[in-house]
Amino acid sequence: MTDSPDDPPIAVSPRLAVALAHVQDRRDRRIRRMLPVLWGVLATIAVQSLSAHPAPGASGVHLAVALALAGCLLPLAAVASGRWAVATPLPCAVYCLLVGGFGIALGILQPGSMSVLPPSVGVMTAFLVLRRRPAFVLGGVLTGALVVSAFAGKDDSTSNLLSQLLFCAILSLTAISIRQAGANEERAELLLAQLEDAREAEARAAALAERTRIAQDLHDVLAQTLSGLAIQVQAARRMARRDQAAEDLRDLLDRAGKLVKDGLGDARRAVGALRGDQTPSLERLTELVERYRVDLELDVTMNVSGTERALSADAGLALYRGVQEALTNAARYARGAHTTVTLCYQSEATTLTVEDRREVPGPAPAALAGGSGLGLTGMRERLSKVGGNVSAGPTANGWTVRMEIPA
């Protein structure tokens, strides 16, 4: 038996799937709590029938009583033991008709037995499982048969008939109340899950709108500024070629033009990332290191150890941006040093180390340009959002940045 509501299909999210699992578990518990009631009904019918007259036997009317009793008790035992599921309309209808029909036949054969109990169980089961209209039809059929059996038996008093009908009506109302209460409880849990999904969707939409606004601002300020700078550098390169400037100056302008072009590409990718486009990952780390080696003339090498494994998009982006910031600082503050980027896949964590090492001890060359001082702070913030951490500090002859994300 079940008291599932007749609700339309719902689009399932992970949270809603959990709520549906809870709903199904609650239905199963209600069913298990009702099974002992069926065993009690079965025992009551059996005791009453065995003590009534004529008693079950092997011949004549006694055989008929035995067959009617078996036809009534066997479906009850099958459902009570869990061997017969009546959660769908057809098995439920067959079950109700068998229990109710054989129970009514038993009442005709044994007027002193509890003939109202089997059809009442059938009526109650119909209202617990079936939709309202089929339940009323099946309940009407069983109730009508009960009225006919009251006049077919020896005890056809009006008071007895009214009490039997009242008993059926009470069980029907009880079944309707149980089913409605369960449906309301389940609907409330599903609506709560849907409400949480809606709140999350609203928060994501608000975050996306804010990121889109920031992306537009970055595009208007940074990308357009870099575009203007690229034009100016290109003009300077043409002037240097026209005026036969020194080869070193022309090489410097060529590298500056390429850096501006790459920076413009990075700015566009950053804007795309804010808008939800594909973001850089560790797969492009070799390309990033090569760009710094060629464009900024940074003495940098890269090593990879361990068995490679996939990281989440946010974790890969955090490590990529961390290496980018560390290499930028190396190019700015550690010119002449050898920089090593080491990516290590360990069983418990993924680590990325960027180490600057000067071969000759002494003060580092002057920085090419001043920084904002917020690079390491931003690096820590990125890594902390994905459960990682950053450590940075001086060594005997250089500087080391170490990033780690737990496996």
Side-chain angles (χ1 to χ4, degrees):
M1 290 180 292
T2 181
D3 52 347
S4 59
D6 304 318
D7 294 330
I10 306 172
V12 178
S13 67
R15 179 181 285 106
L16 192 55
V18 172
L20 288 170
H22 289 166
V23 165
Q24 186 60 47
D25 184 62
R26 190 179 295 111
R27 293 175 185 171
D28 293 340
R29 288 199 304 269
R30 280 199 293 265
I31 292 173
R32 288 193 295 269
R33 286 196 298 265
M34 295 183 68
L35 294 182
V37 177
L38 288 182
W39 285 114
V41 171
L42 186 151
T44 302
I45 294 173
V47 170
Q48 288 292 328
S49 180
L50 291 174
S51 60
H53 183 76
S59 62
V61 68
H62 299 283
L63 178 60
V65 171
L67 294 176
L69 181 61
C72 180
L73 297 185
L74 287 178
L76 283 171
V79 173
S81 62
R83 297 180 180 275
W84 187 10
V86 291
T88 52
L90 183 58
C92 176
V94 173
Y95 166 77
C96 295
L97 290 174
L98 285 177
V99 173
F102 280 107
I104 291 172
L106 188 63
I108 295 175
L109 295 171
Q110 293 181 319
S113 64
M114 296 186 66
S115 59
V116 68
L117 191 54
S120 298
V121 170
V123 171
M124 185 176 184
T125 304
F127 278 100
L128 283 174
V129 177
L130 303 176
R131 295 174 182 268
R132 289 289 175 83
R133 183 173 298 177
F136 274 110
V137 171
L138 187 55
V141 170
L142 292 177
T143 305
L146 185 63
V147 173
V148 172
S149 69
F151 291 101
K154 297 180 180 180
D155 185 7
D156 58 352
S157 65
T158 304
S159 60
N160 184 53
L161 177 60
L162 291 178
S163 64
Q164 292 181 353
L165 295 178
L166 181 61
F167 187 64
C168 287
I170 291 174
L171 289 184
S172 300
L173 293 175
T174 302
I176 293 174
S177 299
I178 292 173
R179 180 168 179 169
Q180 191 62 48
N184 290 340
E185 185 179 3
E186 294 166 4
R187 192 173 291 110
E189 184 166 357
L190 297 180
L191 288 176
L192 181 60
Q194 289 176 304
L195 178 61
E196 292 296 327
D197 285 341
R199 286 176 177 172
E200 282 193 2
E202 184 179 3
R204 286 194 299 268
L208 180 59
E210 180 64 14
R211 289 168 58 184
T212 301
R213 184 191 66 79
I214 296 173
Q216 291 171 346
D217 290 343
L218 279 176
H219 180 270
D220 293 341
V221 176
L222 184 58
Q224 291 183 11
T225 300
L226 287 175
S227 298
L229 180 59
I231 295 173
Q232 296 300 319
V233 172
Q234 183 66 23
R237 293 170 63 189
R238 287 197 299 266
M239 291 177 62
R241 286 195 298 268
R242 183 192 66 189
D243 297 340
Q244 299 297 316
E247 186 69 23
D248 291 344
L249 177 59
R250 282 185 287 175
D251 289 343
L252 181 61
L253 289 173
D254 288 342
R255 287 198 300 272
K258 191 172 188 311
L259 285 174
V260 172
K261 180 180 178 181
D262 292 341
L264 185 59
D266 286 340
R268 287 172 177 165
R269 282 190 289 271
V271 169
L274 285 172
R275 288 175 172 168
D277 298 341
Q278 186 176 5
T279 57
S281 63
L282 293 183
E283 296 176 356
R284 298 179 55 189
L285 197 57
T286 304
E287 175 189 341
L288 176 69
V289 171
E290 183 65 18
R291 281 171 46 195
Y292 274 85
R293 188 184 67 80
V294 174
D295 297 341
L296 295 182
E297 299 181 342
L298 188 64
D299 182 12
V300 57
T301 57
M302 179 176 172
N303 301 315
V304 180
S305 63
T307 303
E308 183 177 352
R309 61 172 172 270
L311 299 179
S312 68
D314 290 339
L317 176 62
L319 292 175
Y320 181 93
R321 293 303 188 197
V323 173
Q324 190 175 32
E325 178 65 25
L327 291 178
T328 299
N329 289 337
R332 181 179 294 151
Y333 301 114
R335 288 181 296 113
H338 176 70
T339 303
T340 304
V341 178
T342 304
L343 173 60
C344 183
Y345 293 100
Q346 300 171 332
S347 59
E348 67 278 1
T350 300
T351 60
L352 247 174
T353 304
V354 182
E355 182 180 7
D356 310 324
R357 178 176 299 175
R358 294 190 300 274
E359 299 298 333
V360 179
L368 286 175
S372 64
L374 299 177
L376 189 57
T377 301
M379 198 186 302
R380 286 195 177 101
E381 290 175 350
R382 281 184 181 274
L383 268 295
S384 65
K385 289 180 180 178
V386 294
N389 59 80
V390 179
S391 60
T395 59
N397 55 352
W399 185 273
T400 297
V401 176
R402 186 178 187 276
M403 295 165 282
E404 178 178 305
I405 293 180

